[in-house]
Amino acid sequence: MCAKVNKEDYLNHPLVKQNIVVRREYQENIFVNCLNKDALVVIPTGLGKTIIALMLAVQRLTEKPGSKVVFLAPTKPLVEQHYKSFLDLTEIAPDSLKAITGSISPDKRKQLWEKVIIAFMTPQVFQNDIVSALYSTRDVSLIIFDEAHRAVGDYAYCFIAKKYIESSRSPQILGLTASPGSTEEKISEIKRNLFIEHLEIRTEKDNDVNPYVHDVEQLWIRIKLPYEFLEIKNILDEKLKSCYKFLKENDLLSSHDINKVTRKDILKLDKVISKRISSTKDDSERFQMFHAKKISANAIRISHMAELIETQGINALKEYIDKNEEKIEKNTANKSLKELFRDKDFKCVRELTYLSQSKGLIHPKITKLIEILEEQIQKDQNSRILVFCHFRDSVNNIVRVLKKSNSIRVHKFVGQANKSSDKGLTQKQQVQLLDEFKKGEYNVLIGTSVAEEGLDIAECDLVVFYDVVPSAIRSIQRRGRTGRKRDGKVCVLMAENTRDEGYYWAERTKEKNMKESLNKMKKYENEKSTGQSNLLNFISNESKKIDSSNKIDGNYYESISPIEDAKKIEITCDYRETSSSVVRILSLMGVNVKLEQLNVADYIISNRTGIERKSSKDFSDSIKDGRLFEELSNLKKNFERAILILEGDPFTNSSVNINALYGAISSIILNLGIVLYKTEDPKETALFLYHMAKKEQGESKGSLKLRFEKAPLSTSRLLEYIIAGIPGVNSQRATSLLKKMCTLQNIFNSDIPDLTKVENIGRKIAQEIYKLSRFKYLDDSQN
């Protein structure tokens, strides 16, 4: 075994660029304390956690020659940021450092893995590669989990940590976060999920940290709502109060005070009401509960509209109303929504909203925001400013208004999802936008939560909260975007006598609890290191004895163990199923999982057996939008044995009428002839899939089919069919290629520039055709 690398070894380590890396005492202390330990490091934002990760990575690579390090971060921009930092700060050959993202094909990722020493990845990509057994983590000596507070529930970090601990020859885990959670239970949950024992905590008040902390001025700016807004708000409040009153009268709420009932309370009611519907034998109570379902659904809508008018403004409220009216016009709205929009009080809200919008009224927050931004830019023309906003519609409205200013160069910074006509930003666009922001092409970014985590925008002088968030983690992350390299400023806009104020107090309480929890745990860690013990130690040890079924969400995968002979079982899964935990559980069981882009079925266990999985919510949603029977009809056409797994109970958590649910289930069984099997949760689903595959594959040998259309009879159509089998080539592109090239031989002999001359064929698809036509076939059975 190699000797441990101590602090002095690191300070002169040949892999670190000594003339660039600025070492700070607290970083060196944390490094020494984390040597050869699985550790969670809690450190304020902007204090160089990347340097700590770099020090540990270099130490592990030195101590474990020939090993690899994996640095995980939740988003591609963060992955790119850490990758560039390591390039700048280490003497490791650039070819040995790689940012491996989902835009790189699996075959290419496998090739990169063989040569890489430190891989920078998102958890989704790393998870998929582990599930597919694309490469082994046997020689990975360290995994760094950035933004480790995400390691709760069913997040990919939890699966990766368990799989890594089971497979690596010499595993070590480092978790990094500025905001682990507001309670000791949440922090302990993260530690359990990442198999961490050691907790290393630093706060701004610590002696070794304080000299490096920059002042961040925080201003809470109270905003008065105009009369027109208050008029709408009052109607909505009265309507909401009447909803709560009905729910309280039916013993579903303990209060009808709109200041005491939270949206979370209302969201929980759906299951409660459904259980009462299914358990009662009294027809009048059943009728009341069905009515309560509609009331609770509309209470959520009214509460949301009240929040929009209070914190976002007229435009946001109008857009919400317009979207729902469009649903009603298209006949895709449910009964409760239609009833709400027919209500006379709501019609009054709608009229007042349209009237205020026609007058050009905007939320006074926007006026104040313009004033703050222009004042900051006038004071320093090189300023960089981040504005955080909870709702994406509001982001677009703010950007539209700010573009009228001569001094403000603004752009939105949102996630990847496309919402109707509002296009998101790809991760590549996000990286490019941050670069343009640093260069000064834009001096203001209006961002949603995607801008909260980890992004190191060194020039950010001012952060503005357009709305208040009740989460301590999110608030800390937002504030952490400033005060990194120099003093910063935070302005929080808070509408008077609205939920902004409630969120303010909730956030303050949670942050106070977080600090108290961290101080208590830090004290315990110090006592533990000196050999002392206390009640907390006893509680911690006792909690490990509790059965996993009684634990909080953190230990989701703890009870999953490999099954003997599971490697002989092969299950082909659709890529989209990796967002559920079923695929991860199958992998932990030891099943040979193949990820493919399937046109039909979610899981294939043999040539005759295809399986569709629906969660109870997805089942209800697919009934409403009409895709359920189309998907199941395709399943039945392509497989002799077609099975639908219904995960969860649709009757206890559905917005679909109970008779419609029974009708759909009856049609699936009687009309389509599909076997329906109900499971309790993803764990039971995975176990069912395993036993089905074991039985099926024990009786029938042969590879699983991945194409489901029947091969066409005419030769020309057959040529199109063959070409359309290439990833990225649809029937239209296949036709264009054959019209231009005439024969398969000409297509496969063409160079990339010739292929890109064909209509609808870009460079990426041309490269794929070129690569496949020259790829040497490898028989997996002989490897």
Side-chain angles (χ1 to χ4, degrees):
M1 180 177 173
C2 298
K4 293 181 182 178
V5 178
N6 59 32
K7 181 175 174 179
E8 286 69 29
D9 291 329
Y10 163 70
L11 294 179
N12 300 295
H13 202 287
L15 290 180
V16 178
K17 292 182 179 177
Q18 300 297 327
N19 59 328
I20 294 178
V21 175
V22 178
R23 294 181 296 272
R24 295 172 176 175
E25 184 184 356
Y26 65 88
Q27 293 168 338
E28 295 169 2
N29 292 338
I30 292 171
F31 162 68
V32 171
N33 293 342
C34 294
L35 280 172
N36 299 303
K37 295 175 185 173
D38 297 313
L40 175 64
V41 175
V42 180
I43 185 170
T45 54
L47 291 178
K49 63 183 177 181
T50 304
I51 298 293
I52 297 166
L54 182 148
M55 294 160 78
L56 262 297
V58 165
Q59 179 262 332
R60 288 300 280 176
L61 292 173
T62 305
E63 187 178 279
K64 304 290 180 183
S67 68
K68 300 178 187 291
V69 170
V70 176
F71 199 134
L72 297 176
T75 64
K76 188 174 178 180
L78 260 178
V79 167
E80 293 286 345
Q81 177 180 300
H82 292 311
Y83 167 58
K84 288 176 181 175
S85 295
F86 271 58
L87 277 177
D88 293 339
L89 300 175
T90 71
E91 297 287 0
I92 299 172
D95 287 346
S96 298
L97 302 172
K98 289 293 178 186
I100 304 176
T101 64
S103 60
I104 302 171
S105 69
D107 287 340
K108 182 66 174 174
R109 294 204 298 269
K110 186 176 182 179
Q111 292 173 18
L112 289 173
W113 180 263
E114 291 173 2
K115 298 177 181 177
V116 77
I117 291 177
I118 304 181
F120 302 84
M121 309 173 77
T122 61
Q124 290 75 23
V125 172
F126 193 49
Q127 165 202 277
N128 291 353
D129 289 352
I130 292 173
V131 167
S132 303
L134 198 63
Y135 43 73
S136 171
T137 58
R138 178 180 166 87
D139 293 322
V140 176
S141 61
L142 174 67
I143 294 186
I144 300 160
F145 293 88
D146 191 25
E147 309 297 347
H149 53 270
R150 287 183 174 237
V152 293
D154 189 27
Y155 190 65
Y157 276 1
C158 308
F159 162 78
I160 290 168
K162 180 170 173 64
K163 196 78 174 176
Y164 171 60
I165 289 292
E166 291 174 353
S167 62
S168 175
R169 289 188 295 185
S170 52
Q172 184 176 338
I173 287 173
L174 174 66
L176 301 169
T177 183
S179 46
S182 55
T183 65
E184 291 176 48
E185 289 76 14
K186 282 292 180 186
I187 300 167
S188 296
E189 181 183 348
I190 294 165
K191 288 176 63 183
R192 283 197 302 272
N193 288 339
L194 296 181
F195 299 88
I196 281 170
E197 287 294 329
H198 181 67
L199 183 63
E200 192 72 23
I201 301 170
R202 289 295 185 280
T203 68
E204 293 94 337
K205 294 181 180 178
D206 284 316
N207 293 333
D208 56 352
V209 173
N210 187 260
Y212 305 100
V213 175
H214 297 278
D215 290 333
V216 176
E217 181 186 4
Q218 186 161 327
L219 299 176
W220 293 84
I221 301 170
R222 302 173 74 87
I223 307 289
K224 287 187 177 181
L225 296 181
Y227 168 77
E228 291 86 352
F229 283 35
L230 292 172
E231 191 176 8
I232 294 170
K233 177 183 179 305
N234 291 337
I235 297 171
L236 290 171
D237 284 350
E238 286 301 315
K239 193 70 187 167
L240 192 59
K241 196 180 293 182
S242 68
C243 291
Y244 290 170
K245 190 173 182 182
F246 174 85
L247 295 171
K248 182 177 184 296
E249 288 169 353
N250 284 274
D251 299 322
L252 294 166
L253 287 178
S254 58
S255 172
H256 64 264
D257 187 340
I258 60 174
N259 295 315
K260 292 181 179 178
V261 179
T262 66
R263 197 173 303 163
K264 191 180 287 186
D265 295 330
I266 304 301
L267 289 169
K268 288 178 182 176
L269 286 184
D270 196 55
K271 280 189 177 182
V272 176
I273 295 169
S274 294
K275 283 181 181 176
R276 283 180 60 173
I277 290 171
S278 59
S279 63
T280 185
K281 295 180 181 179
D282 187 333
D283 288 342
S284 62
E285 185 183 358
R286 186 178 287 110
F287 175 81
Q288 278 290 87
M289 288 302 101
F290 275 120
H291 186 57
K293 251 186 180 297
K294 290 191 286 187
I295 293 293
S296 64
N298 283 333
I300 292 168
R301 294 186 181 108
I302 295 165
S303 174
H304 180 64
M305 286 189 279
E307 182 172 7
L308 290 177
I309 191 63
E310 287 176 1
T311 66
Q312 308 301 313
I314 285 293
N315 288 332
L317 178 57
K318 181 181 178 297
E319 285 177 13
Y320 179 79
I321 293 171
D322 288 346
K323 284 177 186 176
N324 283 290
E325 286 191 330
E326 188 179 342
K327 286 182 185 177
I328 293 170
E329 287 172 10
K330 290 181 177 179
N331 203 29
T332 57
N334 57 28
K335 278 187 178 180
S336 59
L337 180 62
K338 291 176 181 176
E339 287 183 13
L340 176 63
F341 274 57
R342 286 198 298 266
D343 181 84
K344 64 176 185 178
D345 292 329
F346 179 77
K347 286 180 178 178
C348 183
V349 167
R350 183 186 180 280
E351 288 172 9
L352 289 171
T353 300
Y354 278 66
L355 179 63
S356 297
Q357 209 256 355
S358 67
K359 291 179 181 178
L361 286 178
I362 60 174
H363 201 291
K365 280 186 180 182
I366 294 183
T367 307
K368 188 64 180 177
L369 177 64
I370 295 170
E371 179 188 322
I372 292 168
L373 299 184
E374 290 185 337
E375 181 183 329
Q376 176 67 31
I377 293 169
Q378 187 176 5
K379 186 172 76 174
D380 181 1
Q381 292 188 352
N382 294 318
S383 289
R384 302 290 184 274
I385 305 167
L386 269 176
V387 180
F388 286 102
C389 189
H390 184 61
F391 297 103
R392 192 143 136 187
D393 287 343
S394 294
V395 169
N396 294 328
N397 286 327
I398 294 168
V399 169
R400 276 196 293 270
V401 174
L402 294 184
K403 279 186 175 179
K404 298 174 184 176
S405 170
N406 293 326
S407 60
I408 299 172
R409 300 184 299 280
V410 65
H411 202 289
K412 70 177 182 180
F413 191 82
V414 297
Q416 298 181 76
N418 295 323
K419 299 187 177 181
S420 61
S421 60
D422 179 24
K423 284 193 173 183
L425 296 174
T426 66
Q427 292 191 332
K428 186 176 180 181
Q429 288 172 321
Q430 292 172 11
V431 172
Q432 182 182 344
L433 184 54
L434 285 176
D435 188 52
E436 291 168 348
F437 182 63
K438 287 183 179 181
K439 290 177 180 176
E441 293 180 38
Y442 302 103
N443 55 11
V444 176
L445 292 183
I446 314 295
T448 53
S449 58
V450 73
E452 289 174 358
E453 281 187 333
L455 300 174
D456 184 15
I457 305 171
E459 299 87 355
C460 189
D461 307 281
L462 171 65
V463 167
V464 181
F465 291 25
Y466 186 77
D467 38 32
V468 187
V469 286
S471 162
I473 290 176
R474 291 185 61 195
S475 185
I476 289 168
Q477 294 287 347
R478 284 184 174 191
R479 289 201 309 269
R481 300 313 104 212
T482 189
R484 289 173 163 247
K485 307 295 181 184
R486 54 180 178 264
D487 292 351
K489 185 176 179 181
V490 174
C491 293
V492 184
L493 305 181
M494 183 167 60
E496 281 187 359
N497 301 315
T498 68
R499 65 198 64 210
D500 269 352
E501 291 190 345
Y503 288 166
Y504 162 76
W505 289 111
E507 188 279 324
R508 290 288 294 269
T509 300
K510 288 176 182 177
E511 194 168 337
K512 181 184 175 185
N513 291 340
M514 180 187 293
K515 289 178 179 177
E516 290 175 354
S517 297
L518 286 173
N519 286 332
K520 191 181 294 185
M521 296 185 84
K522 184 177 180 180
K523 183 180 177 183
Y524 163 62
E525 288 291 328
N526 291 336
E527 290 176 351
K528 187 172 70 171
S529 66
T530 57
Q532 296 179 32
S533 184
N534 58 14
L535 180 61
L536 184 61
N537 189 20
F538 172 77
I539 294 170
S540 176
N541 290 332
E542 287 298 305
S543 69
K544 294 176 184 176
K545 301 175 185 177
I546 301 173
D547 184 80
S548 62
S549 61
N550 295 324
K551 290 180 182 177
I552 53 179
D553 293 341
N555 289 277
Y556 190 82
Y557 298 107
E558 189 171 347
S559 61
I560 312 298
S561 301
I563 297 175
E564 190 176 353
D565 294 334
K567 283 187 177 180
K568 298 177 183 177
I569 307 301
E570 179 181 319
I571 299 178
T572 300
C573 309
D574 184 66
Y575 262 113
R576 288 161 291 192
E577 279 293 294
T578 57
S579 61
S580 82
S581 57
V582 175
V583 173
R584 300 169 200 162
I585 294 169
L586 287 170
S587 177
L588 289 168
M589 289 165 63
V591 173
N592 183 10
V593 176
K594 301 291 184 185
L595 295 181
E596 301 284 350
Q597 190 169 339
L598 300 179
N599 295 324
V600 180
D602 292 324
Y603 301 90
I604 300 174
I605 60 173
S606 72
N607 279 336
R608 69 172 187 163
T609 309
I611 301 166
E612 187 79 17
R613 183 189 72 91
K614 295 284 183 193
S615 67
S616 56
K617 183 180 184 305
D618 189 30
F619 183 72
S620 298
D621 290 344
S622 61
I623 291 173
K624 289 192 289 185
D625 61 27
R627 61 187 160 85
L628 176 66
F629 287 98
E630 181 183 350
E631 290 172 355
L632 295 181
S633 295
N634 287 335
L635 187 71
K636 184 64 178 175
K637 284 176 188 175
N638 285 283
F639 292 97
E640 182 186 341
R641 296 281 186 268
I643 300 170
L644 170 65
I645 294 177
L646 184 52
E647 191 175 281
D649 189 350
F651 295 99
T652 59
N653 190 20
S654 175
S655 57
V656 176
N657 182 279
I658 192 169
N659 294 323
L661 288 171
Y662 276 120
I665 292 170
S666 301
S667 294
I668 290 165
I669 298 170
L670 299 176
N671 298 343
L672 292 178
I674 289 176
V675 175
L676 190 151
Y677 184 82
K678 184 182 173 300
T679 62
E680 190 70 27
D681 54 29
K683 292 179 182 178
E684 189 181 342
T685 298
L687 198 60
F688 174 68
L689 286 168
Y690 162 74
H691 284 291
M692 286 283 292
K694 183 179 180 182
K695 176 70 174 174
E696 185 74 343
Q697 292 170 24
E699 296 177 356
S700 64
K701 303 295 180 183
S703 58
L704 307 183
K705 69 175 183 177
L706 299 177
R707 294 190 74 181
F708 303 98
E709 317 97 293
K710 288 184 179 179
L713 297 176
S714 78
T715 305
S716 292
R717 298 289 81 80
L718 182 59
L719 294 179
E720 291 175 7
Y721 177 80
I722 293 169
I723 296 298
I726 297 171
V729 178
N730 54 24
S731 57
Q732 183 183 4
R733 288 176 176 137
T735 303
S736 298
L737 282 162
L738 287 162
K739 281 182 178 179
K740 180 77 173 177
M741 303 286 188
C742 298
T743 68
L744 294 181
Q745 185 179 19
N746 289 341
I747 292 171
F748 290 133
N749 285 339
S750 296
D751 290 327
I752 292 171
D754 294 328
L755 290 168
T756 56
K757 292 176 184 176
V758 178
E759 185 182 1
N760 298 320
I761 302 298
R763 186 167 185 82
K764 190 172 182 180
I765 293 175
Q767 288 172 334
E768 188 71 17
I769 296 170
Y770 183 86
K771 182 183 75 173
L772 288 174
S773 66
R774 289 153 179 81
F775 189 83
K776 185 178 179 181
Y777 175 71
L778 299 174
D779 185 354
D780 289 343
S781 65
Q782 296 175 1
N783 290 346

